[in-house]
């Protein structure tokens, strides 16, 4: 396994997970209606030096795209970012998530990001089990230092914030 920048050639496999009902069921975005051009545009934009969103491919040893791991909404002032990860269905349960997250934490340290947070739909028991197995602890949303930041930036509505299970880690 390795992590690298996204490539245009990743687009077809990216689209496959976007059209997998089991994969997207609990995600916030309308991936179901994405097309190949949307994937290509995302990949092109992810490689355009946008310092607020960092997206990487997780690949197998033959460089086959197996998922995307991201640091989104990077705020260099408060040194925080949101974690996002999604895998191709063929990669699930094979260690790609733990590998991708570990590598992303290394990148975050290199970029002087000190705090990473993320959320999970309460119904996504598979993801919750994974995070708990990895030793991540749920954070109390009322004590979450970045809650006002998320609302003020328009990243999440109050209803969304209240409807997710939140995790955070200082690195």
């Amino acid at each position: 396994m390795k992590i690298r920048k996204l490539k245009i050639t990743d687009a077809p496999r990216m689209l496959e997970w976007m059209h997998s009902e089991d994969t997207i069921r609990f995600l916030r975005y309308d991936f179901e209606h994405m097309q190949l051009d949307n994937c290509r545009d995302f990949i092109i934009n992810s490689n355009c030096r946008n310092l607020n969103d960092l997206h990487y491919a997780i690949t197998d040893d033959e460089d086959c795209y197996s998922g995307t791991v991201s640091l989104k909404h990077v705020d260099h002032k408060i040194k925080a970012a949101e974690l996002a990860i999604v895998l191709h269905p063929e990669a699930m349960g094979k260690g790609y998530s733990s590998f991708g997250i570990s590598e992303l934490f290394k990148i975050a340290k290199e970029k002087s990001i000190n705090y990473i947070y993320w959320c999970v739909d309460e119904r996504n028991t598979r993801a919750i089990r994974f995070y708990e197995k990895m030793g991540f602890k749920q954070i109390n949303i009322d004590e979450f230092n970045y809650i006002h930041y998320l609302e003020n930036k328009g990243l999440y509505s109050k209803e969304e914030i209240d409807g997710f299970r939140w995790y955070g880690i200082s690195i």
Side-chain angles (χ1 to χ4, degrees):
M1 288 178 228
K2 63 182 178 176
I3 191 171
R4 61 160 168 76
K5 287 186 175 188
L6 290 164
K7 299 178 184 177
I8 292 293
T9 55
D10 297 331
R13 283 189 49 90
M14 183 180 284
L15 186 63
E16 288 176 10
W17 72 251
M18 289 182 180
H19 289 179
S20 165
E21 186 178 326
D22 286 341
T23 303
I24 65 171
R25 181 178 333 164
F26 301 114
L27 302 182
R28 291 177 63 213
Y29 299 103
D30 181 16
F31 291 112
E32 177 181 21
H33 293 99
M34 294 294 171
Q35 301 297 318
L36 193 57
D37 284 343
N38 299 114
C39 296
R40 289 183 185 130
D41 290 345
F42 174 80
I43 292 167
I44 290 166
N45 290 333
S46 75
N47 291 319
C48 288
R49 298 202 174 257
N50 176 353
L51 299 178
N52 295 325
D53 295 303
L54 307 170
H55 306 285
Y56 301 93
I58 306 168
T59 70
D60 65 14
D61 292 334
E62 285 76 44
D63 200 43
C64 180
Y65 171 88
S66 298
T68 304
V69 63
S70 306
L71 288 170
K72 303 184 323 180
H73 316 300
V74 176
D75 188 309
H76 298 284
K77 184 177 179 182
I78 62 174
K79 299 183 181 214
E82 181 176 0
L83 166 76
I85 187 166
V86 65
L87 294 181
H88 189 281
E90 293 174 0
M92 290 185 182
K94 297 180 180 176
Y96 286 91
S97 289
S98 55
F99 172 80
I101 289 172
S102 296
E103 291 299 303
L104 195 68
F105 285 176
K106 292 175 189 175
I107 291 168
K109 280 185 179 184
E110 291 170 6
K111 306 247 182 235
S112 298
I113 297 168
N114 298 328
Y115 191 77
I116 298 176
Y117 59 90
W118 65 98
C119 61
V120 179
D121 187 298
E122 289 283 350
R123 300 167 295 169
N124 192 344
T125 56
R126 180 184 178 116
I128 291 168
R129 278 193 314 269
F130 166 75
Y131 292 128
E132 290 175 358
K133 181 181 172 187
M134 291 283 296
F136 298 122
K137 304 291 183 213
Q138 183 177 355
I139 57 176
N140 181 337
I141 196 64
D142 296 327
E143 297 172 9
F144 184 41
N145 293 335
Y146 301 102
I147 196 71
H148 298 294
Y149 168 80
L150 296 174
E151 282 185 273
N152 293 338
K153 292 278 189 176
L155 301 175
Y156 291 89
S157 68
K158 178 69 172 141
E159 293 77 25
E160 287 176 313
I161 290 169
D162 292 341
F164 287 115
R165 183 177 291 205
W166 290 87
Y167 294 85
I169 185 168
S170 295
I171 56 169

